[in-house]
Amino acid sequence: MILNTDSNRTELVEGVGIYIHIPFCKQACFYCDFHFSTSLKKKDELIDALIVELELRKSEFENDTVATIYFGGGTPSLLSLEEINQILNAVFLNYKVIENPEITLEANPDDLSETKILELAKSKINRLSIGVQSFFETDLKLMNRAHNATEAKQCLDLATQYFDNISVDLIYGIPGATHEQWQENIQTVLDFNIPHISSYALTVEPKTALESLIKKGKIEDVDEVHAETQFHMLIDELKAANFQHYELSNFGKSGYFSINNSAYWKGKKYIGIGPSAHSFNGESRSWNIANNSKYIMAIQFKELPSEVEILSLNDKYNEYVMTGLRTIWGVSLQTVETVFGSDFKSYILNQSEKYLKEELLYIDGDNLKVSTKGKFLSDGIASHLFKI
């Protein structure tokens, strides 16, 4: 019996978003370069600070309505239901929230016991984003994930009994993972009737354990051709299963696109709460200090430990192009002309000419879009359309 459903889902909800960064993990995944700590000593202080930051920043959204609340990390599923509710209560106390907001919790399989899932299903959380990554032990050990393959399948079996809106993360391009194994990973998620999949190529980020292990020859380097093949396998398999490839790394069945992430890609405002969290208000970006102790100390003095960047016209155009080309909606040439000017429209058309001829881009009505052939290269293509 599914307890947690939302019959009013839509991909185009008016409103703003709140992202809450929970900077704690049981252990460090080798590929991760996000801000987190494996020590939970400051967890109580951190939660208190998150609540204070929510109070301090409520004026930023005094004329807006919150449509999405997203717990990211780190590993938000490490929090107890009481701790989650403390934070949510602060949101609802200080902000105007729509009647049925999308409230997502990122979770790891090893945290999702039946008791935990049942607690969450009775809470305001109505969407789970589960970091499975792979159903093969060799892959999970290579990435130093905290869960095993059995836990991954068990948590999906339980979660689908109580939640309707679930997303699963998968990673492709893992060294040593065959195309047959990748096919099995995709099929396993489909067999659980999961309505949303986020999938990313394994990327070697600077100063990560993965980079160090590759340099030492303990792990094979990532093969981009291997990863691209698996990316196109994913596109084909999910298209056949009636998923829409609505963003470069995201696939959803009708009615199950991530409202939170779609708002990011469409340039909606959001506040990022917590250490290292980013915010955007249409004119500037800001980001909190990526240090738990310094963040807590500043908040205790009612100070916001953040830096601000005012976006130039070129910055705004570049971000619009980058996010637009990653999505099913593409880049509206009319929007480029209206918002940025006719010179920008001429510029993007001139810069696109090469990619249009190579069939990596195409124009659909008023919208410039990336073809299936060009999807794996979309970020690189976008960078060549930027205004410097």
Side-chain angles (χ1 to χ4, degrees):
M1 178 179 68
I2 294 177
L3 299 181
N4 209 319
T5 62
D6 178 4
S7 59
N8 296 315
R9 272 191 312 267
T10 175
E11 277 72 70
L12 300 171
V13 171
E14 288 303 318
V16 295
I18 294 179
Y19 171 84
I20 300 164
H21 188 75
I22 307 300
F24 300 109
C25 290
K26 288 179 181 176
Q27 63 188 52
C29 299
F30 287 159
Y31 56 85
C32 183
D33 68 342
F34 293 159
H35 170 66
F36 68 92
S37 170
T38 55
S39 169
L40 303 182
K41 289 180 181 179
K42 293 185 180 293
K43 182 159 69 77
D44 292 345
E45 291 177 87
L46 192 285
I47 291 169
D48 289 342
L50 295 176
I51 291 169
V52 173
E53 187 184 358
L54 283 164
E55 295 169 354
L56 291 174
R57 301 185 66 182
K58 62 184 179 181
S59 62
E60 295 178 38
F61 278 176
E62 62 184 350
N63 298 317
D64 297 292
T65 304
V66 174
T68 65
I69 304 164
Y70 192 101
F71 288 86
T75 310
S77 53
L78 284 175
L79 298 187
S80 68
L81 183 61
E82 181 182 358
E83 291 165 339
I84 292 169
N85 284 337
Q86 284 178 340
I87 298 168
L88 285 176
N89 288 342
V91 174
F92 281 83
L93 179 65
N94 291 287
Y95 299 81
K96 292 178 287 187
V97 182
I98 66 171
E99 185 176 350
N100 292 304
E102 177 189 83
I103 306 180
T104 302
L105 181 82
E106 289 185 352
N108 278 357
D110 47 301
D111 293 326
L112 293 179
S113 64
E114 185 169 16
T115 300
K116 184 66 169 277
I117 290 170
L118 189 52
E119 284 182 346
L120 292 172
K122 292 178 179 178
S123 75
K124 288 185 172 71
I125 302 294
N126 53 30
R127 184 173 184 270
L128 293 179
S129 177
I130 304 176
V132 170
Q133 315 309 356
S134 176
F135 294 97
F136 288 90
E137 293 294 346
T138 52
D139 296 344
L140 297 172
K141 289 177 180 176
L142 181 146
M143 295 184 287
N144 200 41
R145 295 291 294 169
H147 68 277
N148 59 45
T150 299
E151 287 171 326
K153 293 176 182 178
Q154 286 176 342
C155 89
L156 292 182
D157 185 48
L158 290 167
T160 51
Q161 294 177 49
Y162 297 105
F163 276 84
D164 172 55
N165 198 356
I166 298 174
S167 178
V168 164
D169 285 359
L170 292 177
I171 290 180
Y172 57 88
I174 299 170
T178 66
H179 295 334
E180 290 74 23
Q181 288 173 321
W182 177 235
Q183 173 80 39
E184 188 173 331
N185 274 333
I186 299 168
Q187 189 59 52
T188 300
V189 177
L190 295 178
D191 288 344
F192 280 104
N193 200 27
I194 301 296
H196 188 280
I197 294 173
S198 295
S199 191
Y200 310 90
L202 183 65
T203 304
V204 185
E205 300 291 352
K207 299 180 181 179
T208 58
L210 180 62
E211 181 189 52
S212 175
L213 290 167
I214 289 173
K215 285 181 176 178
K216 292 176 182 177
K218 294 183 178 180
I219 293 178
E220 290 179 49
D221 201 353
V222 172
D223 184 331
E224 191 168 313
V225 174
H226 187 76
E228 184 173 2
T229 299
Q230 293 188 349
F231 175 67
H232 284 287
M233 288 172 63
L234 178 71
I235 292 174
D236 292 342
E237 290 297 318
L238 295 188
K239 182 179 180 180
N242 296 317
F243 281 74
Q244 295 184 62
H245 189 188
Y246 72 104
E247 193 272 341
L248 181 65
S249 302
N250 288 272
F251 303 76
K253 290 191 173 180
S254 180
Y256 289 92
F257 294 4
S258 168
I259 301 172
N260 178 80
N261 292 350
S262 295
Y264 290 167
W265 302 320
K266 287 178 172 290
K268 300 287 184 70
K269 294 193 292 185
Y270 59 89
I271 287 176
I273 303 293
S276 82
H278 285 233
S279 304
F280 172 71
N281 65 9
E283 298 299 323
S284 66
R285 290 196 177 279
S286 63
W287 54 94
N288 288 341
I289 191 168
N291 181 295
N292 291 357
S293 296
K294 291 180 179 179
Y295 167 80
I296 291 168
M297 186 177 298
I299 294 294
Q300 286 174 343
F301 284 97
K302 303 297 173 64
E303 298 173 356
L304 294 176
S306 61
E307 295 182 50
V308 179
E309 176 191 14
I310 305 300
L311 301 175
S312 67
L313 190 64
N314 281 6
D315 291 333
K316 294 176 187 177
Y317 161 80
N318 292 345
E319 290 198 7
Y320 177 62
V321 171
M322 173 64 82
T323 55
L325 284 186
R326 289 179 64 97
T327 71
I328 195 173
W329 305 288
V331 172
S332 166
L333 297 173
Q334 181 61 55
T335 297
V336 170
E337 184 171 26
T338 302
V339 175
F340 304 105
S342 56
D343 287 348
F344 280 83
K345 182 179 179 181
S346 297
Y347 178 81
I348 194 171
L349 286 172
N350 287 336
Q351 293 295 106
S352 299
E353 190 173 338
K354 168 189 173 184
Y355 301 106
L356 290 166
K357 288 179 179 177
E358 294 175 355
E359 298 182 340
L360 299 175
L361 293 176
Y362 68 102
I363 295 176
D364 179 15
D366 174 59
N367 299 304
L368 182 67
K369 299 181 179 182
V370 179
S371 67
T372 300
K373 177 182 173 183
K375 282 187 187 295
F376 193 75
L377 307 171
S378 64
D379 286 349
I381 294 170
S383 69
H384 285 96
L385 307 185
F386 286 173
K387 274 266 198 179
I388 307 301

